[in-house]
């Protein structure tokens, strides 16, 4: 296999391997976000109320999202994807 063929094969394989791991991470993100968003207080039209309580919940949501995105599993997947090139 020539060097060009090897590079082209990696360009096809690497995103597929990365994409296989991402759905589980995305499901975790979705579950966490959905749970936290449902806890936000809204007015009668469904708009989020600007309140200290909601700000605290949004801060918790941001923290949780950072924990998921910066998790070992996600970072390992990203690092492995990057190392393919």
């Amino acid at each position: 296999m020539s060097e060009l063929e090897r590079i082209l094969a990696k360009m096809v394989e690497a995103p597929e391997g990365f994409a296989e791991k991402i759905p589980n991470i995305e499901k975790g993100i979705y579950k966490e976000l959905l749970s936290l968003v449902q806890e936000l207080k809204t007015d009668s039209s469904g708009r989020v109320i600007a309140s200290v309580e909601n700000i605290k919940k949004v801060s918790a949501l941001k923290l949780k999202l950072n924990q998921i995105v910066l998790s070992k599993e996600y970072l390992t997947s990203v690092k492995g994807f990057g190392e393919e090139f």
Side-chain angles (χ1 to χ4, degrees):
M1 178 181 285
S2 73
E3 183 67 16
L4 179 59
E5 290 172 328
R6 188 187 66 74
I7 291 170
L8 290 174
K10 284 287 184 187
M11 290 177 70
V12 170
E13 293 168 7
E16 290 174 358
F18 182 65
E20 288 173 1
K21 295 176 183 174
I22 295 303
N24 290 333
I25 296 168
E26 289 175 347
K27 286 178 188 174
I29 291 170
Y30 177 75
K31 280 181 160 181
E32 294 290 338
L33 293 179
L34 185 61
S35 172
L36 292 170
V37 167
Q38 288 176 340
E39 293 176 9
L40 295 172
K41 302 292 183 200
T42 58
D43 63 17
S44 60
S45 64
R47 293 186 181 145
V48 175
I49 298 170
S51 68
V52 173
E53 184 181 352
N54 276 346
I55 291 172
K56 288 179 182 179
K57 289 179 182 179
V58 169
S59 292
L61 188 126
K62 180 182 173 189
L63 178 64
K64 195 59 156 175
L65 186 57
N66 279 335
Q67 289 172 345
I68 293 168
V69 173
L70 299 176
S71 69
K72 186 175 181 178
E73 178 186 7
Y74 186 77
L75 292 176
T76 300
S77 296
V78 172
K79 182 180 178 187
F81 177 73
E83 289 174 348
E84 292 293 328
F85 301 98

